[in-house]
Amino acid sequence: MDHDHQHHHNSQKHQAQKQQDRLTERLEEKALHGHEQAMHEDTSGHPPHDEHDHSGHGHGEHGHDHHRMMIEDFKKRFWISLALSIPVILLSPMVQHILGFTLDVPYSMYIAFVLSSIIYFYGGWPFLTGLVEEVKKGAPGMMTLIGVAITVAYLYSSAIVFGLEGMDFFWELATLIVIMLLGHWIEMKSVLGASKALELLVSMMPAEAMLIRDGETVRVRIEELQKGDLILVKPGEKVPADGVVEDGESHLNESMLTGESKPVKKTIDDKVIGGSVNGNGALRVRVEHTGKESYLNKVIKLVQDAQKTKSDTQRLADRAAKWLTYVALTAGFGTFAVWLLLGQDLAFALERMVTVMVISCPHALGLAVPLVVAISTAVSANNGLLIRNRTAFENARLITTVIFDKTGTLTQGSHEIAAVVTFDKTVDEREMLRLAAAVEQNSEHFIAQGILRRVKKQGITVPPAQSFNYLPGKGLEGMVEGRDVKVVGPNYLREFNIQVPASEAEEGVETVVYVLTDERPVGYITMRDQIREESAEAIRVLKANGIKNLLLTGDNERVAKSVSDKLQMDGFLANVLPHQKQEKVKELQAKGEFVAMTGDGVNDAPALAQADVGIAVGSGTDVAAETADIILVNSNPQDIASLILFGKATYRKMIQNLIWATGYNVIALPLAAGVLYNQGIMVSPAVGAALMSLSTVIVAINAQLLRRQIR
């Protein structure tokens, strides 16, 4: 590419930047108002109450403090109820008969009644209030089932104490409430654990910053920082805000933010992210984003939104839970009626009804999907995958074709020097680079930037250039240490008929510039967009999973073929203009392909929106491609393969949990109703409660196993 592309290149950059700014503004409107609010947002991963109410759980908008208080409340109710239930169990004639002992305690029935009353009203209170809430909303659910079961058991047993014929089951009531409290306590702890990663993100920001004011450093609260402030970040400290390095050099650990495990070198003009940890060097940073504009807050907001939005799978779980509630109530009262009609006594029919209602609580079902959502979203965020659309994420399992945008995804997006070749024995490579950099240091062109990066890396001191001049369509020239130095493209050589040895550059793929001193060619420099190290592994993983991969680029056929062949891709589409990318996606979809599109979120926006799964790639603070379903913080193609496999694993876990939660009910309900009564198989209310809690715990553990599935 010749240097006259400079103006066009800058105008394109300006347009792209304007688009990016608009996207960023749109995200900021939706972002959090500072870290305080983040701490009060509900990050439990549970849907709002009206969608899937667990009244009494404390999964509301009050956030983690409220959630912890509720956990403590359940814990206290559990231990007190457990202590009271021990004498109730020992006083039960049925338990004494089963275990073969007798306790002759005066007024034992009345003592059991008093203790059971305390257990019912104190231990059962969360379930009773939950029942009222659900009935008020006209949405009977799990709390309705538990509330009805314990109320029926309590009223029936109390009636027996005061004269009704039959056998009380205070001990079943006590154990049922104790086990339900334990199940809820474990569930709430699991949910809190799932959202810990998000809380960790919130706590990553330091509370204070070292502000440089009039040459003095002053310690200020992070809320006081303004855009444009200069701050000092000492070795080992956390960076308090997003910004640009003005002085100093260090390696920063950004792993918690971006998933990039290696510390990233930062020097003058490099961007730093608030919350990352500084290494050994001191940095002076000019603040760019604070509060709600900060990268970290955008991440938190995206994760919270993802945990709150519902996917098709979650809606399926909600429908299943709702129907299971109706089935359980119908089956419960139906069981009661059938056993009475069959001639069984009231106590037996009532016990069967209570057992059916207890055993069919959709507790595990209510937890099956929200817990997987909370864990998968938090784990993804920790690994640099930000989910904005849950359905698209779960649909990753359906992807048949991934379209890769070339520049910045499979390649580094910056042209680096591939070769430095000298013709003249008196001028070595370092000297030629030194002279070329002297002329190029005044240019913004990608060739200039590539040469300057190389000399900086090699520690070459660049001399000043006088009489700097553009040669439109050909290159640059200037006077360096008394010599006329030109850095020009092949056009200049042809125009002035300057003969040079044949270049070994790959034609059409590499850019070649020649260095001339006093009109004498001394050598040439080739540049190319380097393929990322991780790209080959990403393509291999996709192929191993039967997913086709295509390269999409605005570059010429030779460049596209070079990259495609090197990575052994399934094919490429070259010379594609931004507005044509969407058409290419549509064409593939018309052939029945389920398409994932990866792009930088600006010029690829229409294609990202069109694709079945849109994946925006872009590191640093450009998080916010509004049209994408999923955002990869690192422009690492391996993350795309990880994302698809993790999406599959997440969906698998949801389905496993749904099958377990509903399958358990399908088997347990008939047993509780007593269909195998004549065969001597019966399930008591207490065993029913134990099985139901076990089902919940299994679902919770299975969801936690998802943490191992990423990468």
Side-chain angles (χ1 to χ4, degrees), residues 75-384:
K75 184 178 169 183
K76 195 164 115 188
R77 285 179 197 271
F78 165 73
W79 286 115
I80 291 172
S81 300
L82 178 64
L84 293 174
S85 64
I86 292 168
V88 172
I89 293 165
L90 294 174
L91 290 172
S92 164
M94 190 188 287
V95 173
Q96 290 178 23
H97 174 71
I98 292 165
L99 297 178
F101 73 93
T102 50
L103 274 178
D104 195 14
V105 178
Y107 306 110
S108 61
M109 282 185 76
Y110 295 105
I111 293 168
F113 166 70
V114 171
L115 293 174
S116 296
S117 297
I118 298 169
I119 294 168
Y120 172 70
F121 287 107
Y122 177 69
W125 186 251
F127 311 115
L128 297 173
T129 52
L131 180 151
V132 173
E133 288 282 316
E134 288 183 349
V135 170
K136 269 190 199 167
K137 288 176 185 164
M142 190 181 60
M143 290 295 172
T144 306
L145 286 173
I146 301 169
V148 168
I150 62 174
T151 302
V152 168
Y154 176 69
L155 294 176
Y156 176 71
S157 298
S158 301
I160 286 168
V161 171
F162 294 104
L164 187 73
E165 282 295 311
M167 188 178 280
D168 73 82
F169 42 100
F170 280 132
W171 78 277
E172 280 107 330
L173 166 74
T175 50
L176 171 57
I177 287 174
V178 166
I179 290 167
M180 292 307 297
L181 285 169
L182 179 64
H184 275 60
W185 177 25
I186 291 170
E187 175 202 339
M188 291 171 71
K189 282 182 76 171
S190 299
V191 170
L192 189 70
S195 59
K196 280 257 174 72
L198 196 60
E199 195 179 65
L200 199 59
L201 281 176
V202 177
S203 67
M204 280 173 63
M205 276 298 195
E208 296 180 319
M210 295 295 287
L211 178 65
I212 301 171
R213 195 183 283 153
D214 304 323
E216 299 284 315
T217 54
V218 191
R219 193 170 286 279
V220 297
R221 285 181 57 76
I222 191 169
E223 293 80 25
E224 294 172 39
L225 286 182
Q226 303 285 323
K227 184 177 178 178
D229 280 351
L230 190 63
I231 52 175
L232 175 67
V233 186
K234 292 178 180 175
E237 286 186 342
K238 286 180 179 175
V239 177
D242 297 354
V244 175
V245 178
E246 289 217 344
D247 187 34
E249 189 175 293
S250 188
H251 282 77
L252 265 62
N253 182 346
E254 297 179 344
S255 58
M256 261 300 290
L257 295 151
T258 65
E260 172 59 61
S261 56
K262 288 181 291 193
V264 184
K265 187 179 180 184
K266 301 288 181 182
T267 184
I268 294 169
D269 292 341
D270 286 340
K271 290 191 174 186
V272 293
I273 305 173
S276 53
V277 182
N278 190 15
N280 295 328
L283 297 173
R284 286 172 179 249
V285 175
R286 183 72 63 186
V287 175
E288 278 200 332
H289 301 294
T290 60
K292 66 170 187 173
E293 292 182 353
S294 76
Y295 169 78
L296 187 58
N297 258 337
K298 289 174 187 174
V299 172
I300 292 163
K301 180 71 174 118
L302 284 168
V303 174
Q304 284 181 332
D305 287 349
Q307 285 188 345
K308 285 176 190 165
T309 56
K310 291 203 160 201
S311 70
D312 296 343
T313 320
Q314 285 164 274
R315 281 189 278 271
L316 170 71
D318 286 349
R319 284 198 300 275
K322 183 178 162 188
W323 281 108
L324 192 60
T325 302
Y326 293 135
V327 167
L329 289 171
T330 308
F333 292 119
T335 299
F336 178 72
V338 167
W339 282 117
L340 282 181
L341 289 171
L342 289 173
Q344 285 288 351
D345 61 17
L346 183 70
F348 180 86
L350 206 53
E351 185 187 83
R352 288 304 93 212
M353 181 183 90
V354 170
T355 309
V356 165
M357 287 180 172
V358 168
I359 219 161
S360 60
C361 288
H363 200 143
L365 186 64
L367 186 62
V369 173
L371 197 56
V372 175
V373 169
I375 292 167
S376 70
T377 313
V379 169
S380 298
N382 277 357
N383 285 274

Side-chain angles (χ1 to χ4, degrees), residues 558-600:
R558 278 183 174 155
V559 173
K561 189 174 187 314
S562 168
V563 173
S564 177
D565 289 354
K566 204 161 194 173
L567 294 173
Q568 299 179 335
M569 295 179 74
D570 294 326
F572 62 88
L573 302 165
N575 297 312
V576 182
L577 297 171
H579 66 275
Q580 294 172 327
K581 290 181 180 180
Q582 186 181 20
E583 294 305 315
K584 297 292 181 189
V585 173
K586 279 183 184 171
E587 283 170 27
L588 285 164
Q589 287 171 327
K591 292 175 188 170
E593 299 286 344
F594 199 88
V595 181
M597 167 75 193
T598 68
D600 63 15

Side-chain angles (χ1 to χ4, degrees), residues 54-60 62-77 126 129 184-185 188:
H54 282 208
S55 306
H57 286 214
H59 298 326
H62 308 297
H64 281 89
D65 292 340
H66 181 62
H67 198 111
R68 282 204 185 86
M69 277 164 56
M70 292 306 295
I71 289 175
E72 284 304 309
D73 182 56
F74 269 89
K75 184 178 169 183
K76 195 164 115 188
R77 285 179 197 271
T129 52
H184 275 60
W185 177 25
M188 291 171 71

Side-chain angles (χ1 to χ4, degrees), residues 670-689:
L671 291 178
V675 294
L676 296 179
Y677 174 62
N678 291 334
Q679 283 74 35
I681 296 173
M682 289 283 283
V683 179
S684 76
V687 171

